[in-house]
Amino acid sequence: MNTGSDEPGEVAVAADETKADRARSEQGLGSKAPEFIKARRLLHLSWQVAIFIIGLAVVVVGIIMLPLPGPGWVVIFGGMAIWATEFVWAQLVLRWSKRKVTEAAQRALDPKVRRRNIILTSIGLVIVGVIVGVYLWKFGIVMPWKIKDQ
């Protein structure tokens, strides 16, 4: 029995997946501004400038948070998401980033990769422990408030 049709004797043909994937990937690209804003060119241009400035401010704050305490990468991707509401290039960059993160997550779940990561982490912790032990053996623990006046 053919599952692609209710009619007897008909054969279902598989669709070209690359065309379907391309159509699905291009679906939703473009401005997400309300229709009344898109209808007026000057209003739409000002809307895009405002979105760009807000997204830029969020991305800059995220970049500042990279060396400082805070969720820098999360804020940067938040700024990219703000840009993606209006600009196709940001939507494509965000999709590429999501795809790469998903691929990395899948690779990280691979048993061989997990085993390698656990072994490397254990070796790193042993090396750090040995370095800290040698330092403490050589210099001891001296608290800042007990440093002798020189």
Side-chain angles (χ1 to χ4, degrees), residues 8-149:
E10 286 190 28
V11 177
V13 178
D16 186 11
E17 290 184 20
T18 57
K19 289 181 183 177
D21 289 341
R22 190 177 304 128
R24 194 175 332 127
S25 69
E26 291 183 13
Q27 179 185 14
L29 289 180
S31 176
K32 305 284 191 282
E35 289 303 320
F36 74 92
I37 290 178
K38 284 196 246 182
R40 293 162 182 84
R41 181 144 175 81
L42 185 59
L43 187 58
H44 191 236
L45 184 62
S46 355
W47 176 271
Q48 286 182 328
V49 168
I51 293 294
F52 182 79
I53 291 172
I54 292 169
L56 182 65
V58 172
V59 168
V60 167
V61 167
I63 291 171
I64 291 171
M65 282 186 189
L66 287 175
L68 299 176
W73 285 110
V74 174
V75 175
I76 289 172
F77 285 119
M80 288 297 298
I82 291 171
W83 278 339
T85 62
E86 201 56 37
F87 303 107
V88 173
W89 61 267
Q91 292 169 357
L92 296 175
V93 168
L94 206 56
R95 284 184 184 176
W96 178 83
S97 301
K98 286 179 184 178
R99 190 174 64 245
K100 289 299 179 183
V101 166
T102 304
E103 289 172 5
Q106 290 300 321
R107 279 195 312 267
L109 294 176
D110 181 31
K112 291 179 182 177
V113 174
R114 287 186 64 178
R115 191 173 323 118
R116 183 199 64 203
N117 289 346
I118 290 171
I119 290 170
L120 289 175
T121 302
S122 301
I123 291 171
L125 288 174
V126 167
I127 290 172
V128 168
V130 167
I131 291 172
V132 168
V134 168
Y135 178 84
L136 291 176
W137 175 68
K138 184 164 176 109
F139 299 107
I141 298 178
V142 178
M143 297 297 164
W145 53 85
K146 292 187 179 183
I147 295 178
K148 297 177 184 173
D149 293 333

